[in-house]
Amino acid sequence: MGDARLTPNRQRRASTTASRRAGEFAVWYLRVVTFVNLLSAVWVSFGNDVRRHNEENFFTPYLLTAGFASGVFTMFLAVTMRRRKRAAWILNIVISSLFLLLFTFAMLFADIRQHAQNWISLVLTAAFVASLVVGRREFYAKGDRSNPRLAAAVAVGGLLVSSLFAALLVTVANEAHDSHRSTFLERWGYGTMRLISVAADDSGFAGISTPNWVDIVINVISTVLILAVLYAAFRSRRAVDPLTEDDEARLRALLDRNGDRDSLGYFALRREKSVVWSPTGKAAVAYRVVGGVSLAAGDPIGDPEAWPGAIDPWLAEARAHGWIPAVMGASEEAGTVYARHGLDALELGDEALVETAEFTLEGRAMRTVRQAYNRVKRAGYTVRIRRHADIPADEMAHLLQRADDWRDGATERGFSMALGRLGDPADGQCVMLECTDSRAGGAGEAGELKALLSFVPWGPRGLSLDLMRRDRDADNGLMEFMVIELLQRAQEIKITQVSLNFAMFRSVFERGGRIGAGPVLRLWRSLLSFFSRWWQIESLYRANAKYRPIWEPRFLLFEKSADLPRIGIAAARAEGFLEAPGLPKWLHRKHLESRR
């Protein structure tokens, strides 16, 4: 009886194992073919042997012309198959099955059975098709519903544009003596022929003779066009159900109950995010899809007991669409929960937290900070602290204008630790700090605005830094002066804790500068210091360390180490440090302003 009950489970496990191994074989087959194609492109004699086999006998699927173009094509297929794309599986099974049928028919009725390489090709093709059939369940990732229409548009539009460009090249570089006899339609036809055929018969174009570089350029354009069509056909779905008004209301309710657990919780209300809920509705994971990466930030929102119920559907949705799941800036508690769901952790850095009751400017260690604060104060600068709801509409409009003028670049940066909007009526509990100089326009009037700080709520008694802007012509030290004013006057707005900037790789700078630090740690610290010339890595650590904060580690969660480069690019795009190509900066800025 016991064996009878266990048999179905064993069969399912064996079927799952066979499916997984078959899927892995299909991916590795494409990778090996990619290697052979690229090797043929650089190893002339080997490439000639492969091409001779393709011409005299039958080629193995995807070896094609055994060169760079074929290598790029099969590499694209290998990547999409590794990402479990269902559309890639369909393309492979159709092409390979048709080839296998034709090849089998030829082996049965044509006199080619005596060639050993044909039997090898047949066996490899059959093994590849078999692996696709057995491993079909491994390729489940859905594409965007608009992909077929987009791929068709790219194919038609790209072919039209590239063929016209090819015709122009042929017209400019035509070396035939009787070139005046060729018409534009003939040159267009010649260019189109070169686009769709690598080794074409040009004997029908007597009035056209082009140098080799023209044919090579046209063939490269053809390869790029094919890759563009494939990308459009296989691309991942951009997003699923952006944040609705009901989702935002439910998230705010969770933040009212559990918002004090995570200082980054309020940033889940960014409206370009989507949200996945636990079955009970007591927890949620907010995320954004960037470049095929499902990027969450901070801890899940809500009751920690319900976090697994939200993490499971988020991971399931990512796998269903072929997205790479990743979490930026998770706390140690959340990182432990994510690790139980198969994600690995990498420490990114530390968040600076300051308890207002414990902050003081007294003591020798705070001497430099105290002197800088007093210097700015003697210069006549003052700070005004208000909730956003208490700022009149006309004043808020002025603050928005100044913040926009002081922004560094056209792109609004931030994702994991920025709200991405300022002055929204729904964010009335956010806190604004306005720093003005001593040059008042008259009795009772404030001076000129020189800097702004905005904080989002962190539970009922905390604030988390959202935005920092200053006039570049103002005196140095204004930001430090404003932060200290907030910490010293915390009772005015009834707060007890403040989250400041995130210090990336803080432990490296701290431990790497100590006596006895190892050579690897010192080298790592030197590299980070070098890159700090362009990115604020060490300076953010130094700027936060002066407040003597509590350092809370934050982690990056991911499934596979091989995905880290792609996750890094997606994170840089989400944070605004990289922009997607093709969209002008002025259009980015116009888009941001229209969202306000």
Side-chain angles (χ1 to χ4, degrees), residues 33-46:
V33 173
T34 297
F35 174 76
V36 173
N37 278 320
L38 296 179
L39 183 63
S40 299
V42 297
W43 188 355
V44 178
S45 60
F46 177 73

Side-chain angles (χ1 to χ4, degrees), residues 149-435:
R149 294 191 301 272
L150 179 62
V154 172
V156 174
L159 182 60
L160 177 61
V161 173
S162 56
S163 63
L164 289 174
F165 181 75
L168 178 62
L169 279 180
V170 172
T171 301
V172 172
N174 193 1
E175 296 176 342
H177 296 293
D178 53 350
S179 60
H180 62 279
R181 296 171 53 187
S182 64
T183 65
F184 177 77
L185 287 178
E186 290 176 332
R187 294 191 293 272
W188 191 8
Y190 178 87
T192 304
M193 178 198 67
R194 285 293 179 185
L195 279 172
I196 62 178
S197 175
V198 177
D201 182 12
D202 56 0
S203 58
F205 300 91
I208 299 175
S209 177
T210 57
N212 288 335
W213 67 266
V214 173
D215 295 338
I216 293 173
V217 170
I218 294 176
N219 293 151
V220 170
I221 294 174
S222 176
T223 303
V224 173
L225 177 59
I226 292 174
L227 292 178
V229 173
L230 290 175
Y231 173 79
F234 297 153
R235 67 181 185 136
S236 300
R237 190 174 177 182
R238 296 302 188 192
V240 177
D241 301 329
L243 200 67
T244 64
E245 292 183 2
D246 180 63
D247 288 330
E248 185 172 338
R250 294 173 64 187
L251 285 174
R252 289 184 183 276
L254 291 182
L255 290 172
D256 289 340
R257 293 193 297 269
N258 305 100
D260 57 344
R261 300 191 64 88
D262 183 19
S263 62
L264 308 185
Y266 199 87
F267 301 125
L269 298 176
R270 288 179 66 102
R271 288 171 186 152
E272 82 271 40
K273 291 185 177 181
S274 301
V275 63
V276 172
W277 295 92
S278 66
T280 62
K282 294 181 179 180
V285 173
Y287 67 95
R288 177 185 171 191
V289 180
V290 183
V293 177
S294 181
L295 199 61
D299 298 352
I301 308 300
D303 185 356
E305 295 293 330
W307 284 357
I311 294 174
D312 282 332
W314 171 63
L315 291 174
E317 187 175 65
R319 295 187 179 105
H321 292 90
W323 298 330
I324 297 173
V327 185
M328 291 177 56
S331 69
E332 188 170 0
E333 179 184 10
T336 302
V337 178
Y338 277 113
R340 294 175 188 152
H341 289 74
L343 300 187
D344 202 355
L346 176 67
E347 186 173 347
L348 281 179
D350 298 85
E351 179 186 11
L353 307 178
V354 180
E355 298 287 343
T356 58
E358 299 177 1
F359 178 77
T360 178
L361 285 176
E362 303 301 325
R364 184 179 182 85
M366 299 296 289
R367 179 182 178 184
T368 302
V369 179
R370 183 171 61 251
Q371 290 176 343
Y373 170 80
N374 291 331
R375 176 180 55 79
V376 175
K377 190 172 185 179
R378 286 194 301 269
Y381 288 93
T382 58
V383 175
R384 189 178 188 181
I385 304 176
R386 291 184 289 180
R387 298 278 181 181
H388 284 201
D390 299 329
I391 303 176
D394 57 338
E395 292 186 31
M396 180 61 78
H398 174 67
L399 297 179
L400 291 175
Q401 182 61 49
R402 300 302 291 156
D404 188 65
D405 293 339
W406 295 334
R407 184 172 59 202
D408 184 13
T411 302
E412 189 76 61
R413 292 180 177 175
F415 168 72
S416 58
M417 299 181 182
L419 191 58
R421 60 179 185 263
L422 187 65
D424 192 291
D427 303 318
Q429 289 304 301
C430 293
V431 172
M432 182 78 77
L433 274 68
E434 308 156 52
C435 184

